[in-house]
Amino acid sequence: MQVHVVKSKIHRVKVTGADLNYIGSITIDEDLMEAANIIEGEKVQIVNNNNGERLETYAIPGPRNSGEITLNGAAARKVAPGDILILITYALMDVEEAKQFKPALVFPNEENNLLK
């Protein structure tokens, strides 16, 4: 049997932009992606603490040390700049592997989204 487990979590980042005319995705500061072990193109679940919205899209890297968190395309309608998000990725693994697995949990500075 295999189970889905949390692979990565970026906890409480502030939306810096919403670009309705972009093709799609979420742009995440590359430093945050690296710290959370999220790769370009990986599916990301987005939980908006301000309005309760939950959605899925894929990650693209933004400039390092920029704090950028931008929702692109249709997802831009689900957020507003300043909203607080939790970003989560999951992995599928065997039950025994899942019992030993430790996710990458990142808690950036809530004011500027940078690593502390």
Side-chain angles (χ1 to χ4, degrees):
M1 176 183 0
Q2 292 195 316
V3 294
H4 284 101
V5 297
V6 173
K7 177 184 143 295
S8 310
K9 179 169 119 173
I10 302 175
H11 190 75
R12 295 188 61 85
V13 287
K14 189 180 298 183
V15 174
T16 60
D19 186 355
L20 185 59
N21 295 313
Y22 193 86
I23 294 171
S25 68
I26 181 170
T27 304
I28 305 170
D29 178 322
E30 195 167 3
D31 284 342
L32 292 175
M33 286 180 62
E34 194 172 90
N37 194 27
I38 297 173
I39 62 170
E40 185 172 355
E42 185 170 359
K43 181 167 75 170
V44 178
Q45 181 182 42
I46 300 160
V47 180
N48 187 328
N49 283 4
N50 291 76
N51 63 18
E53 290 281 354
R54 288 178 173 257
L55 62 118
E56 293 179 342
T57 189
Y58 60 93
I60 61 172
R64 285 188 179 278
N65 202 36
S66 66
E68 181 176 357
I69 301 292
T70 300
L71 275 291
N72 303 305
R77 294 199 182 275
K78 303 290 187 180
V79 301
D83 282 358
I84 300 298
L85 307 179
I86 298 171
L87 310 178
I88 309 164
T89 66
Y90 299 90
L92 187 62
M93 58 186 73
D94 293 326
V95 171
E96 291 308 312
E97 181 183 11
K99 289 178 182 179
Q100 303 301 316
F101 181 76
K102 300 293 183 227
L105 305 175
V106 178
F107 300 89
N109 181 310
E110 288 186 39
E111 294 303 312
N112 59 17
N113 294 338
L114 300 179
L115 297 172
K116 296 178 183 176

